[in-house]
Amino acid sequence: MTLESIQLPVMAKEVTKIVNFTVVDHPAIYNMIMGTPWLNAMQAVPSTYHLGVKFPTPNGVAAIWGC
């Protein structure tokens, strides 16, 4: 059940985008999931195998890696 939607700024390296989040009242195994609107806005290329995402920045290509 969705409680509400909120907009928050998300900073990834030196790029900041306003992202819509849906708030739910339900336990989950993830803190949050960045969906395709965020990936499209960032022009990002995700890799689930490598647990990372790469995207262009004003200073070149940046990467964020998970563990």
Side-chain angles (χ1 to χ4, degrees):
M1 177 73 73
T2 300
L3 297 178
E4 63 179 294
S5 290
I6 58 172
Q7 292 184 333
L8 297 172
V10 174
M11 184 174 189
K13 300 287 182 171
E14 63 259 23
V15 178
T16 302
K17 297 282 184 185
I18 300 296
V19 179
N20 292 320
F21 288 92
T22 302
V23 180
V24 296
D25 184 19
H26 187 72
I29 59 172
Y30 301 106
N31 289 332
M32 67 177 168
I33 298 173
M34 298 301 232
T36 54
W38 181 82
L39 293 171
N40 289 337
M42 294 291 288
Q43 298 178 351
V45 178
S47 172
T48 54
Y49 182 79
H50 294 99
L51 297 176
V53 62
K54 288 186 176 183
F55 54 93
T57 71
N59 298 319
V61 176
I64 300 173
W65 302 105
C67 60

